Amino acid sequence: MKTFNKGIITVVLGTCLTFTANATTIEVQVSSLFDDGGLAMTPVWLGFHDGTFDSFDVGSAASSSLQSLAENGMTGGIESDFSSSNATGVQTVLAAPTGAAPVFEPGETANSELLEIDAMNSGYFSFLSMLIPTNDAFIGNENPMAYSLFNDDGNFVGLDILVLGSSVWDSGTELNRGYGSPFLQGADAEARQNESGVVTFHNGLEVLPGGLAIIGGTTATGYTIDQAAADFTQSGFEVARITVSQVPEPATFGFFAIGLLGLMARLKRKLKN
């Protein structure tokens, strides 16, 4: 009987400590830093992985999944790619909580659901979102290991990412003519033209000759794009902020742990007697 009780203690304590050491509960907050009249962001794809999920490379052609996100804000392809390449990873798509559309209009902020990650399988962070109304401008991290959520000792350190206009990407899949953007009033998706280029840094909102101007244009949700508020090529221009924070364990878990320790102490005393 004493051996059996020791086994119970070992198993329960081991389970409790493993849960505490390995699982970290987090929350992601995304904020658009554009002023009124600036660009909007499509729902943001958020991925936590082991450092191997590479969504794009500068100087290389975009995948069909990245093209779908950069041209139309669709995350399905990226989600499928992530699931296929990183079975132990964690992902979600964060949309703005208010407004007529799920996009992040200037100044909007949203918080994700609570997510469980660990240092070994999901300790690196990646994100992607289209800027609208553009042809194929997007934000995201090229280097899959750029953002680590844990230090070398396995302790959670969190992230506070400020996305600047100098790091906005052009997927190189659609010519910047304005007409192809499905988020700009007067645009015609049939008028878009394939670019067959590569992923590069974006040069700004100037459209090609004969195109539909984005500056001064009206978005699908009804506001006018303003030059000063939307020109992300300005020095130090702030596009978005993304923070990843640890969520404190519920008090009930703390009470459970205290109770468990008390139970263990009582069992230990009985085993000695």
Side-chain angles (χ1 to χ4, degrees):
M1 179 62 69
K2 291 181 179 180
T3 302
F4 179 70
N5 285 339
K6 286 182 179 179
I8 292 176
I9 293 174
T10 302
V11 171
V12 174
L13 179 59
T15 301
C16 180
L17 292 179
T18 298
F19 176 82
T20 303
N22 292 341
T24 300
T25 303
I26 61 163
E27 182 178 50
V28 184
Q29 183 179 83
V30 173
S31 299
S32 165
L33 300 184
F34 283 100
D35 291 331
D36 290 345
L39 302 182
M41 303 187 305
T42 59
V44 185
W45 175 80
L46 310 169
F48 299 87
H49 52 89
D50 59 5
T52 61
F53 182 71
D54 189 5
S55 56
F56 68 96
D57 293 297
V58 175
S60 297
S63 67
S64 59
S65 297
L66 181 65
Q67 178 177 1
S68 181
L69 182 140
E71 293 183 4
N72 298 298
M74 305 299 291
T75 61
I78 291 293
E79 293 177 73
S80 179
D81 292 347
F82 186 82
S83 295
S84 299
S85 67
N86 201 299
T88 59
V90 177
Q91 64 176 324
T92 190
V93 177
L94 179 58
T98 61
V103 301
F104 286 81
E105 294 197 340
E108 286 195 313
T109 295
N111 286 36
S112 74
E113 60 187 320
L114 300 186
L115 304 168
E116 295 286 344
I117 65 170
D118 65 81
M120 180 175 293
N121 299 308
S122 45
Y124 290 91
F125 174 64
S126 294
F127 65 96
L128 292 167
S129 175
M130 178 188 181
L131 297 185
I132 57 176
T134 69
N135 285 95
D136 58 349
F138 71 99
I139 58 174
N141 54 300
E142 178 204 21
N143 180 358
M145 301 184 74
Y147 300 117
S148 175
L149 289 154
F150 297 86
N151 62 21
D152 292 340
D153 296 323
N155 298 315
F156 181 82
V157 294
L159 291 171
D160 184 5
I161 303 169
L162 179 61
V163 182
L164 297 178
S166 56
S167 58
V168 171
W169 306 101
D170 185 324
S171 73
T173 58
E174 182 177 314
L175 289 174
N176 298 323
R177 297 189 65 235
Y179 279 114
S181 173
F183 303 96
L184 185 65
Q185 290 188 21
D188 179 5
E190 297 300 322
R192 65 176 55 184
Q193 293 180 309
N194 292 332
E195 186 175 358
S196 300
V198 296
V199 179
T200 61
F201 286 108
H202 206 288
N203 291 325
L205 299 176
E206 292 295 329
V207 299
L208 297 175
L212 179 65
I214 294 174
I215 301 298
T218 303
T219 68
T221 55
Y223 72 88
T224 301
I225 299 295
D226 175 74
Q227 171 77 37
D231 182 12
F232 54 80
T233 62
Q234 301 172 70
S235 177
F237 192 98
E238 298 180 353
V239 170
R241 171 166 257 117
I242 302 174
T243 60
V244 184
S245 305
Q246 184 172 9
V247 177
E249 295 173 354
T252 52
F253 180 80
F255 293 141
F256 168 77
I258 293 172
L260 178 62
L261 291 174
L263 174 61
M264 290 170 54
R266 289 194 296 273
L267 289 174
K268 186 175 182 180
R269 285 195 295 272
K270 287 182 179 180
L271 289 172
K272 288 181 177 180
N273 294 332

